[in-house]
Each structure stands twice: as C-alpha cells, then as structure tokens.
Amino acid sequence: MAPTQSQLAASKAAIKQPKARVARYLKSQEAKLVEKDAKSILLLKGTRCSDDMHTLLKDLRTISAPHAKLLNKNNPISSFEVDGRMSLEFLCTKNDCSLFALASHNKKRPNNLVLGRMFSHQILDMVELGVVNHVSLKDERVRGLPK
C-alpha cells in the first residue's frame, strides 16, 4: 500500500534539520579540492655548511615558502647516528615538521644533503645525496632574462 498524504506529511515533519554545530562539523568533513594540511619541511645546516649548500637550502625554502622553516645556526648533527636521529626527531617535533633537509660539507662528503621523513614523531626514512652542480634560483632568473 502507498502511504497516505497525512503519513507523508508526518514523515517530513519527523526529519529534523541538523543543529548549527553539527552542520559545521559535517561541512568540515566533506571532500575538499585542495587539502590544507600540507607537510611542512625543516631546513637545517650541519656542523659545517658550504655557501653552495646554504643557497640550496634558501632555494628549497623559496620553493616551499609557506610550509618551510629554515634554521640559521649550525647544528652538530650526524644524521645516521643514534644521537643525531634523536636530535632530528626533537627538532622536527618542536617545529611541527614532518619533513627535514640537513645540509653539510666535509672533505669526505662534500656538499652533502640528507632528506628525511617523519611519522608519529619518529624518523621513517632518510636518503643522503651528493650535490654536484647546483644552479641557484637567482642565477637562473638572471640567465633566463632576454638581452
């Protein structure tokens, strides 16, 4: 049997509109076009850092501008040792960053860049890169201009 008109009217009246607080919560949980929770990156200088590596860190900060934090002091961190890992975890937790980049320079490993990821305030993985030829953004802008 089909419902009568009075039954349809009663069922429509029984459905309540959500309260304002519930409506705001439901709206915040909807799918978004752009996620606002971008990962932030912490940029560090190691015990010694060459000028090339410093400009590389500045360029990384420029590229990921609102989500990057560059620390200016040299940090005595050796990334693949236990003490260094603990220092990196502390600094990333303190600055609320889930990615980090540590630039250093020494005779054995010149122009060294260590990139890493964090998960629940623990280091997930790290990769060590040797920078051979770095062209800064300033040099690229100057070279790219027409004469």
Side-chain angles (χ1 to χ4, degrees), residues 6-136:
S6 61
Q7 289 174 340
L8 286 174
S11 67
K12 287 182 182 177
I15 298 173
K16 294 181 182 178
Q17 293 294 324
K19 298 192 180 202
R21 182 172 55 178
V22 175
R24 283 194 306 267
Y25 173 76
L26 291 174
K27 187 173 182 178
S28 71
Q29 296 301 316
E30 289 177 355
K32 300 176 183 112
L33 291 176
V34 177
E35 290 294 328
K36 293 181 181 179
D37 300 331
K39 293 185 178 185
S40 55
I41 184 168
L42 182 66
L43 305 167
L44 303 158
K45 294 194 295 185
T47 307
R48 292 188 185 135
C49 186
S50 64
D51 291 336
D52 291 336
M53 296 308 291
H54 187 65
T55 57
L56 176 82
L57 288 178
K58 285 182 178 179
D59 291 345
L60 283 175
R61 184 188 62 189
T62 304
I63 291 169
S64 57
H67 306 292
K69 184 166 187 174
L70 176 63
L71 299 183
N72 289 325
K73 288 188 178 181
N74 291 353
N75 299 297
I77 296 175
S78 53
S79 56
F80 290 97
E81 294 180 4
V82 176
D83 294 336
R85 290 174 64 98
M86 290 175 58
S87 297
L88 284 172
E89 288 172 356
F90 171 75
L91 287 171
C92 287
T93 304
K94 181 180 175 184
N95 293 297
D96 192 29
C97 295
S98 58
L99 302 171
F100 66 89
L102 175 68
S104 63
H105 178 81
N106 57 24
K107 186 176 181 180
K108 191 174 184 181
R109 290 189 176 102
N111 296 333
N112 192 23
L113 182 68
V114 177
L115 301 172
R117 298 187 297 169
M118 306 280 291
F119 181 74
S120 74
H121 308 296
Q122 300 289 324
I123 292 179
L124 183 62
D125 57 359
M126 293 188 287
V127 64
E128 188 172 21
L129 306 169
V131 178
V132 178
N133 186 10
H134 173 253
V135 178
S136 69

